[in-house]
Structures are given as structure tokens and as C-alpha cells.
Amino acid sequence: MQSILYTHIQAILDASHDGIIAVDKNANIVLVNKIAIEILGLPDRIVGEKISKYIPNSDMLRILSTGKREIGDIATVLNQQIIINRLPIIVEGEIIGAISTFKEITDIQKIEMRIRKKFLESGLEAKYRLEDIAGDSPVFTEIKELARSFAQTDATVLILGESGTGKELFAQGIHLQSQRVNGPFVAVNCAALPGNLLESELFGYEDGAFTGARKGGKQGLFELAHGGTIFLDEIGEMSLPIQALLLRVLQEKKVRRIGGERIFPVDVRVLAATNRNLEELIEEKLFRSDLYYRLNVLTLEIPPLRERLADIPALCTSIIHEFNDKTNKKVTGVDAQIYELFQQYHWPGNVRELRNVIERMVLLAQDKTLGIADAQFFKRKAEATKLRAAMQRQKNAEQTEEEMIASTLERVHGNKTEAARLLGIDRTTLWRKLKRM
């Protein structure tokens, strides 16, 4: 019966993911499981032997002597780091033995990353791969290939491009093709949060750090992104004080929460994006040059839609499929006239604007093919935009002409005959233009 009980106990120990070894009060090994034998490099059948025979100066001897528990000790065994817990076994006030449990730190880190990723499955995980980003024009194909090469490194990437070009899609794609694919992807829009709130979101805070702080404190996004990637969108909108804190994190790979003393090491790859000219902001003293050079290790510049109009058919197909799934619509095609109309437009809102137009067309479509009738609202908008642009060009031309006339008159000290001669117009025309001015 005792043999069967021992067999059951040993089977339970061997099923554990932690290494376990126990000794009696005389430091004889009474229990050891397979994981402990593998991690410590011990031979089989060591039960009954002195632990000091296999582990000289074993820390278990100290536990037998002091009766104190030791939690979270870190040691290196056979070129691997392990975390160890040692506890005395006390029965009726007497120390009758000691037990040690331990696990490789890399296993703990993997578990931690899975927990973080599970915790972040509320919209902060990456979804779009580089191959999912629609567009096969030469310029866009080159950009995607460059992004793929960037994904193979762990360097910081600065993604440049106008609003609506899809900078976050590239950030997600780079993360999903990198070695950090199993880690979390955390995105934050730096322009959407005021300075103090952005600081607490990025770096976290301790309990009681400020009025309204959550009880128990809060992890910052850098901590949550540990082992993965953080995407800082609209980095150009970040205030100078937050820039200084960000620079310190990038340099030291450590985070200190607001109101706290503890330092949290973080292993995070940073991807940043902006639609602003950071070099101009540096000249205006609105962006730190040292942070710019720290961020701008690799640069990915996303072209606006007007520079890759050839991608419009592919984009339309991708967007239509997406909205078909969301709305249970069955749109299967697009009339060629729509593509012609779209390719004559300037698209100031880039792909985001195209998505909005396609969404409206799909929602209101009566047939399976989008025709020019479905795009009448956009056609009117495009014509109005074209008219406004023509009027603005005319206004700019008139303004330029007026400036030229004024500067010429100033140069000839108001002599209208001489000014007309220099401008290449007759005196009557000059008088008419001056009257209009």
C-alpha cells in the first residue's frame, strides 16, 4: 500500500512544470521530480542520498538551519537562469525537512508574454499583415518590400505619411513579420490624449500618485508591451516634457511609474509615426533633436493615394470585401467608369477618404455591381472640389499679378508708363488693373 502511495506521489510530482526537490532534516533527498533532474543535471535514483553529494554547499542546508523561507532567488545553473523558492517543512513546530521549487526564467517570460497578449485581446493586438495591405503599384510594392526588410531587425522605425495613408497598418504588418510576433502590439495615438493623461498611459502610475488615480496603481503601455511592440502614432504632437521621458525610456530600457520609486525593465520595440515634418518642428523648438535621431533609425515613407492612383482598383476590391462581410451585402464588381472618376480626384483624405466613399456606396447599392449612379454624390463632390481648386488657382494668379504690379511701380517710383513697359502691357490695361486692385 505504501509503495502504491509513493508511486502516486511521484507521478504527481513528475506532472509538475516546476522542478521540485525535498530533503529530510538530515539533508537526505526524499523526493525529486523529472524536471528537477533535467534542470539541475542530476543522475537518476538519487533518493536517499545526501543532497550535498550532488549540490555542494546546497542552500537547502541553510533552510534546515534557519527555518526561514526564501522566495524568488535567482541563480545560474548549467548556463541557464532559474528562479528558486525554498521553504522549510515544519510539523508541530519542528523542522523535519525542506523543499525547493524552481523554474527556468525563460519559461516564466514566455508565460508572462502569453498573459499580456491575452490581456490585450481587446482591440490592441495587430491584425493586418503586410500582404493584407492592398496595392501592387511599383511604388507601393517597393514600400512593402522595405517594410519586410525592416521587420527582420529590432531597430526603431519612423513611419512618415499624410493622414489616412495607412501608417498603422504598416506598423502592424512590421510587428507580425518580426521576431516579436508572439508578443503584444500596443498602439497609442499621442494626439488623442492631453499631456498628463498621455504620461500616465505610457508610463503608468502608483497608488495615490495623483487625485483620481486608480487604487493599486496602473501599468503603463510600455509595461504592457513588454516583449512586443509599441506603436506611437502622431509622435509629432507629443509635448516636450513627455518627449524627455520617452527619450529616457528608449535609452535606458526602463520605466518608472508616476509617483513610484521602483524601476521596471522593459523589452519593447518602438515604431513611431507622424504626418508632420519633424525637422521643421525641431527648428521651431517643438521637438527634441535627440529624440528625433533616436526614433529615426529606419524611415518608411508611405506615399499619398494621389501618387499611386493605379492602386485604386485593388483598394476598392479589398474595401468592398471587408464591407460585404460586415453588412452582409453581395457587391461583386465595380463599373470601370467609377475607377475613371476616382482616378481624376486628388484624394486629400487618402485611403481613409476612399474607404468612406466606398462604404457609402456599398450601403446604398441596389445591384451587385457598383455603377456610376451609385457614385453621384461623389461626382458632385469631386466637381465642386475641382471648381474650388480652379478658383483658388485663379485667386493665387491674381494675387501674384498684383504683387508684381506693386513691386514694379515701387521700382520705377510710381511711373505708370515705365511700369507698363516693364510689365509688357499697355498703359490702359495697367490703369484697369490698378482700378480693380
Side-chain angles (χ1 to χ4, degrees):
M1 181 70 179
Q2 188 173 3
S3 176
I4 294 174
L5 179 61
Y6 179 83
T7 302
H8 285 181
I9 292 173
Q10 187 64 46
I12 292 170
L13 292 177
D14 288 340
S16 172
H17 290 286
D18 292 356
I20 302 172
I21 186 168
V23 298
D24 63 17
K25 63 182 180 181
N26 297 316
N28 296 313
I29 299 171
V30 294
L31 289 171
V32 62
N33 69 350
K34 290 181 180 179
I35 296 294
I37 289 173
E38 291 174 6
I39 292 176
L40 300 178
L42 300 173
D44 295 331
R45 299 186 179 87
I46 61 172
V47 172
E49 303 274 7
K50 290 282 186 183
I51 192 169
S52 56
K53 178 179 178 180
Y54 302 100
I55 309 175
N57 303 316
S58 169
D59 293 307
M60 298 280 273
L61 302 177
R62 183 172 61 252
I63 304 302
L64 291 173
S65 173
T66 65
K68 295 182 178 179
R69 52 193 287 169
E70 298 177 357
I71 304 297
D73 188 21
I74 296 176
T76 301
V77 178
L78 300 178
N79 295 321
Q80 56 189 347
Q81 283 195 310
I82 60 175
I83 188 164
I84 310 170
N85 299 321
R86 307 182 189 93
L87 300 95
I89 302 172
I90 301 175
V91 177
E92 296 182 352
E94 180 184 355
I95 300 173
I96 65 167
I99 186 169
S100 175
T101 64
F102 43 90
K103 181 188 290 287
E104 284 189 66
I105 288 179
T106 53
D107 289 340
I108 297 173
Q109 290 172 334
K110 290 175 183 176
I111 292 170
E112 179 191 30
M113 285 175 64
R114 285 198 294 269
I115 292 171
R116 289 176 187 271
K117 191 171 183 181
K118 184 70 175 177
F119 179 74
L120 290 170
E121 285 179 354
S122 57
L124 293 177
E125 75 277 13
K127 298 178 181 178
Y128 290 93
R129 299 184 176 276
L130 291 173
E131 55 266 30
D132 296 331
I133 305 175
D136 52 13
S137 62
V139 63
F140 206 63
T141 299
E142 184 179 342
I143 291 295
K144 288 199 281 188
E145 286 302 317
L146 191 60
R148 286 189 182 92
S149 65
F150 287 176
Q152 304 310 307
T153 76
D154 208 37
T156 303
V157 180
L158 182 61
I159 306 174
L160 306 175
E162 296 177 7
S163 180
T165 51
K167 297 186 289 295
E168 183 170 351
L169 299 186
F170 274 89
Q172 293 187 24
I174 289 172
H175 169 76
L176 290 176
Q177 199 147 342
S178 73
Q179 294 182 351
R180 295 177 177 267
V181 60
N182 293 319
F185 176 85
V186 179
V188 57
N189 188 326
C190 301
L193 301 170
N196 292 340
L197 185 54
L198 179 61
E199 180 182 358
S200 65
E201 286 296 311
L202 287 176
F203 310 118
Y205 55 81
E206 295 290 2
D207 188 6
F210 50 83
T211 303
R214 180 190 298 175
K215 188 175 181 180
K218 179 183 177 183
Q219 281 186 312
L221 295 179
F222 268 95
E223 289 180 62
L224 292 175
H226 179 71
T229 303
I230 189 167
F231 173 56
L232 303 175
D233 198 7
E234 304 297 351
I235 191 79
E237 307 300 327
M238 186 178 284
S239 67
L240 288 170
I242 309 296
Q243 290 178 34
L245 295 173
L246 174 60
L247 179 63
R248 181 180 301 174
V249 173
L250 293 177
Q251 291 174 336
E252 300 177 1
K253 307 294 184 183
K254 297 175 183 177
V255 170
R256 186 197 302 271
R257 295 180 185 174
I258 298 173
E261 297 296 329
R262 291 181 297 169
I263 300 294
F264 296 88
V266 290
D267 173 26
V268 177
R269 183 185 192 181
V270 175
L271 306 178
T274 182
N275 59 5
R276 303 188 65 181
N277 188 320
L278 295 185
E279 293 182 356
E280 288 182 0
L281 293 181
I282 291 171
E283 292 179 3
E284 297 169 10
K285 308 297 183 185
L286 296 175
F287 202 86
R288 295 178 62 107
S289 59
D290 46 5
L291 176 59
Y292 171 70
Y293 294 120
R294 174 70 65 168
L295 292 172
N296 193 26
V297 178
L298 300 173
T299 306
L300 191 69
E301 190 163 357
I302 314 302
L305 183 54
R306 63 183 173 274
E307 292 182 8
R308 57 182 191 104
L309 294 174
D311 286 331
I312 284 180
L315 284 165
C316 289
T317 300
S318 174
I319 295 168
I320 288 170
H321 285 164
E322 181 181 340
F323 287 127
N324 277 343
D325 293 338
K326 287 182 179 180
T327 61
N328 293 321
K329 287 281 189 173
K330 302 297 181 184
V331 175
T332 57
V334 180
D335 191 291
Q337 288 181 292
I338 290 181
Y339 291 147
E340 292 176 11
L341 178 62
F342 283 176
Q343 290 175 338
Q344 293 170 7
Y345 184 60
H346 191 63
W347 297 106
N350 291 295
V351 180
R352 185 180 294 124
E353 183 180 5
L354 177 64
R355 283 178 60 85
N356 292 340
V357 171
I358 293 295
E359 180 178 14
R360 179 171 174 179
M361 292 173 67
V362 169
L363 289 173
L364 300 179
Q366 299 299 315
D367 298 321
K368 291 185 177 181
T369 299
L370 296 180
I372 197 66
D374 299 306
Q376 287 305 308
F377 72 95
F378 176 77
K379 187 175 182 181
R380 289 191 294 270
K381 175 185 176 181
E383 289 172 350
T385 301
K386 188 175 181 180
L387 180 60
R388 285 196 300 272
M391 292 173 65
Q392 185 61 46
R393 285 195 299 272
Q394 182 179 352
K395 183 178 179 181
N396 292 341
E398 289 174 354
Q399 184 177 353
T400 302
E401 183 183 54
E402 289 174 2
E403 291 172 354
M404 187 181 299
I405 290 172
S407 64
T408 303
L409 283 169
E410 183 179 358
R411 192 170 66 179
V412 298
H413 307 292
N415 187 323
K416 297 179 180 59
T417 301
E418 181 62 15
R421 186 185 68 80
L422 291 174
L423 291 167
I425 57 178
D426 59 49
R427 184 181 173 89
T428 304
T429 301
L430 177 59
W431 274 105
R432 187 172 65 253
K433 289 182 181 294
L434 287 172
K435 186 176 181 181
R436 188 184 67 219
M437 289 169 60

